[in-house]
Amino acid sequence: MSAGADALRAEIVRASRALGAPADVAPLLERPRDPAFGDWATNVAMVLAKPLGQKPRDLAQRLIDTMDRNVAGISSAEIAGPGFINFRLDAGTVARGITALLADGEHFGRAATGAGSPVVVEFVSANPTGPLHVGHGRQAALGDAISSLLEWTGWRVSREFYYNDSGVQIENLALSTQARVRELGGAPLQIPEGGYHGAYIAEIAGRYVAEHPDDAAGNDLDALRRFAVQELRKEQDLDMQAFGVKFETYYLESSLYTDGRVERTVEALRANGHTYEKDGALFLRTTDYGDDQDRVMRKSAEKGGTFTYFVPDVAYHVTKWERGYTRAINVQGADHHSTVTRVRAGLQALGVGIPQGYPEYVLHQMVTVMRGGEEVKISKRAGSYVTVRDLIDEVGRDAVRYFFLMRKGDSQLSFDVDLARSQSEENPVYYIQMAHARLANIFRVGGIDPSAIDATQVDFGQLALVEETELMKALLDFPAIVAGAAEALEPHRVATYLHDTAGRIHLWYHKAHVLNEPEPLMNARLVLARAAQQVIRNGLTMLGISAPERM
RNA sequence: GCGCCAGUAGCUCAGUUGGAUAGAGCAACAGCCUUCUAAGCUGUGGGUCGGGGGUUCGAUUCCCUCCUGGCGCGCCA
């Protein structure tokens, strides 16, 4: 699909095999850095030189002689350097590609690779103990974009938010709220060890008292817990709404206890003989599955006798499998990477047919926040952090999303709040949106209905500028970029591509006038403008960023 | 000490799974608005791809080793 590469590759394979190459030959086709080398290049002659016992350049020549140029859709093939073969695409191949692009419209870039298979993407999954901070923001942007990429490539995606709404931290939340309620009643503030100090707790306490006049003393810890969790979930939902992220499903950790899944999981692991008791605690032999030490599942009586967090986590992942998700992807901060081995080990030990690499993990490195030239120490307990909402209010949803997506997840990210705000007008996302708006403006000024543009009636030979041929080829790369990004679960590839393509659009826009040109030229350029606009819009939409018609 | 991630231009980062002369943005400097948006465009300068070995036609990319930074290594979550 991408600029005729598939047909070309198939023809290279055919020619290679005709010359004696093994059946599994998979020639690498790539875009040369320097466009002067042509549109596509392959190293297949160098790869096959040794197995076939021939000199690379001789082999390259024989390959070229064997290939059918019409079938491959190329106008020329040249040997270069140690044995590269550089191909130049037939102009008709590009024209057909752009015509197909317009016909596909908002579907251009989609693929059926996933064949409608179900996949659950879990992300954010915050404890309901405070507002969502920048780290969650990165995770939300990543998780949503990955989900979107999978949808574009044919998967049936469910975005899922797992609430860790039980355990010690929730108890601390209840106690912290209680302390604030009692403070309102005139008692001295005594936030417990491990409690939460943020001002939002005081606000929740205020609302609690207003809605529970009968418990102004804050004696009903159970009611306090439920109220605080409910309030914080509401807040987190609003944060995600402001960010434009929608989850299909929410899963409560507490439900795993109430419906007995945690108990059943432990019993199953026991029955399978993967556990043992030591010092009064129940251990899982995770070392059988690559862990460096066995892990406690149930604490000893002195420590409370409760389950450690990873037990419900295993039970939770069993439900993903049982709910029919043959593929599961978890987007998490790298500080949780030790859970990967543990959860997978638990699932393997259950022996219920869950594959070894289940679930897949996308770990992103930490976000540090710079403000006033200094790093803001993020601590929910101390109440100092920068929330997702702060960022959105300061620099806008689109810019925040792009900022989080423009770089690889596995490099650390320093979010300078002051810089993001002061540079909001120079943020790369505006550069991309501007390209889209400029193209839209051409249609607006010309009084042209872009959806009525017909590529089948234009003379593509009119598009002779280097900027035009390069732009067309870049546009046709889009499906391959999407496919690669989806397979690698790396949305930043789309972000990088969009920025690069926006640059080509600005360049072309500056060089080539569209309206009021002779009709054949104007019509051809309108097609190109429409095609470029479509690709930018599809890419931005995929990343959850708006594509404005004017700015 | 062990494990995971990273180290590329002054700064923030890409680099198509091993290719040809390593690229963008910002910052710096010099230019371009009577024509569809100057949130744009053109040009200039800027590099020991952390160091050292190895693998091969060819390494920023793969392997080994060392250095630096982040994260993790709990009967916390």
Side-chain angles (χ1 to χ4, degrees):
Chain A
M1 186 59 180
S2 63
D6 289 345
L8 176 55
R9 178 181 288 107
E11 182 58 14
I12 294 171
V13 170
R14 193 196 62 76
S16 301
R17 295 189 59 185
L19 294 176
D24 62 349
V25 60
L28 181 66
L29 264 188
E30 58 188 3
R31 302 293 302 270
R33 282 216 179 84
D34 186 343
F37 288 134
D39 298 320
W40 292 99
T42 183
N43 63 348
V44 70
M46 289 181 282
V47 174
L48 291 176
K50 195 170 277 181
L52 297 188
Q54 300 180 39
K55 289 179 186 169
R57 289 186 64 105
D58 294 349
L59 183 57
Q61 189 56 54
R62 293 184 62 203
L63 276 167
I64 292 173
D65 294 342
T66 309
M67 286 176 66
D68 182 329
R69 293 189 183 191
N70 287 328
V71 172
I74 55 169
S75 61
S76 73
E78 295 166 8
I79 302 170
F84 290 103
I85 307 176
N86 294 327
F87 300 102
R88 228 165 272 280
L89 287 178
D90 189 335
T93 304
V94 175
R96 282 192 298 278
I98 295 293
T99 305
L101 189 168
L102 280 203
D104 288 348
E106 62 183 22
H107 296 288
F108 180 69
R110 288 191 182 265
T113 321
S117 305
V119 52
V120 57
V121 182
E122 179 201 335
F123 57 103
V124 183
S125 294
N127 301 332
T129 54
L132 299 175
H133 57 70
V134 280
H136 295 121
R138 184 176 201 182
Q139 202 171 116
L142 253 181
D144 198 37
I146 285 171
S147 301
S148 189
L149 272 171
L150 291 170
E151 285 167 343
W152 273 72
T153 49
W155 295 81
R156 188 159 54 79
V157 179
S158 182
R159 294 165 176 78
E160 185 153 299
F161 193 128
Y162 178 59
Y163 279 111
N164 294 115
D165 64 336
S166 62
V168 180
Q169 79 279 10
I170 296 296
E171 213 48 38
N172 287 333
L173 171 69
L175 291 169
S176 304
T177 310
Q178 184 178 53
R180 288 293 190 177
V181 166
R182 290 181 172 168
E183 182 190 25
L184 288 173
L189 179 62
Q190 284 188 312
I191 294 175
E193 177 77 27
Y196 299 93
H197 294 252
Y200 62 92
I201 299 288
E203 292 167 19
I204 290 170
R207 289 199 290 276
Y208 177 83
V209 171
E211 293 182 28
H212 297 77
D214 51 320
D215 187 30
N219 290 326
D220 189 345
L221 199 58
D222 222 44
L224 280 164
R225 180 190 304 111
R226 280 197 307 273
F227 187 82
V229 167
Q230 175 198 316
E231 288 290 302
L232 285 165
R233 282 188 57 191
K234 211 188 297 173
E235 280 299 307
Q236 294 184 349
D237 288 351
L238 287 173
D239 288 346
M240 286 298 102
Q241 211 174 314
F243 205 28
V245 176
K246 287 194 186 71
F247 291 91
E248 275 79 28
T249 44
Y250 295 87
Y251 207 100
L252 301 184
E253 181 188 4
S254 57
S255 74
L256 294 163
Y257 286 97
T258 53
D259 66 12
R261 283 183 173 277
V262 173
E263 279 293 344
R264 286 205 299 279
T265 300
V266 172
E267 284 317 308
L269 288 170
R270 245 188 209 208
N272 287 356
H274 294 293
T275 65
Y276 62 90
E277 299 220 21
K278 189 179 127 195
D279 303 333
L282 182 67
F283 282 75
L284 179 68
R285 288 185 209 279
T286 52
T287 48
D288 288 351
Y289 304 93
D291 207 349
D292 54 359
Q293 56 181 291
D294 292 336
R295 304 292 169 174
V296 171
M297 297 172 68
R298 198 188 54 223
K299 300 177 228 173
S300 59
E302 308 89 80
K303 300 278 185 178
T306 55
F307 294 113
T308 56
Y309 77 98
F310 95 93
V311 178
D313 221 0
V314 171
Y316 168 51
H317 282 87
V318 171
T319 78
K320 288 184 181 176
W321 180 255
E322 288 178 352
R323 282 181 283 153
Y325 296 114
T326 44
R327 189 176 183 200
I329 296 167
N330 293 358
V331 182
Q332 295 187 348
D335 54 339
H336 286 86
H337 88 262
S338 65
T339 71
V340 174
T341 312
R342 228 167 289 183
V343 169
R344 285 179 177 165
L347 293 173
Q348 290 308 300
L350 283 168
V352 292
I354 296 176
Q356 276 190 8
Y358 190 95
E360 298 163 57
Y361 283 87
V362 175
L363 299 178
H364 64 84
Q365 294 295 318
M366 300 293 92
V367 178
T368 54
V369 179
M370 302 293 289
R371 177 170 255 155
E374 286 181 10
E375 183 179 340
V376 181
K377 286 290 174 197
I378 295 182
S379 164
K380 247 195 281 190
R381 288 180 179 161
S384 78
Y385 42 76
V386 179
T387 66
V388 172
R389 205 84 69 84
D390 291 339
L391 289 183
I392 295 171
D393 290 348
E394 287 183 27
V395 304
R397 180 206 284 188
D398 287 341
V400 175
R401 280 223 189 205
Y402 190 83
F403 206 105
F404 280 136
L405 291 174
M406 66 188 289
R407 47 199 64 177
K408 270 188 309 206
D410 51 14
S411 58
Q412 287 161 234
L413 172 58
S414 156
F415 203 125
D416 188 326
V417 178
D418 304 312
L419 192 68
R421 181 166 44 190
S422 71
Q423 289 195 339
S424 65
E425 306 230 327
E426 293 156 8
N427 194 302
V429 72
Y430 296 112
Y431 182 80
I432 299 169
Q433 291 179 317
M434 186 61 193
H436 182 270
R438 276 184 148 175
L439 297 171
N441 196 49
I442 294 174
F443 304 127
R444 190 163 51 242
V445 171
I448 294 158
D449 174 8
S451 64
I453 289 174
D454 184 1
T456 62
Q457 302 301 316
V458 308
D459 171 16
F460 280 91
Q462 297 284 326
L463 302 174
L465 296 174
V466 179
E467 289 81 359
E468 294 179 322
T469 52
E470 289 302 307
L471 176 56
M472 284 192 283
K473 287 167 192 164
L475 295 176
L476 295 176
D477 280 342
F478 184 63
I481 297 291
V482 174
E487 196 192 339
L489 305 176
E490 290 184 350
H492 80 276
R493 296 192 192 188
V494 176
T496 305
Y497 167 82
L498 287 176
H499 193 263
D500 180 63
T501 304
R504 293 181 195 278
I505 292 170
H506 287 305
L507 193 60
W508 171 68
Y509 179 93
H510 192 252
K511 184 113 176 217
H513 202 78
V514 177
L515 300 173
N516 303 317
E517 294 289 333
E519 207 165 300
L521 179 59
M522 180 181 81
N523 286 340
R525 285 184 173 165
L526 282 171
V527 166
L528 179 52
R530 174 66 173 157
Q533 190 194 23
Q534 188 74 61
V535 167
I536 294 292
R537 185 178 357 189
N538 290 4
L540 286 175
T541 304
M542 187 182 306
L543 299 182
I545 298 169
S546 67
E549 293 284 314
R550 59 169 82 207
M551 296 182 73

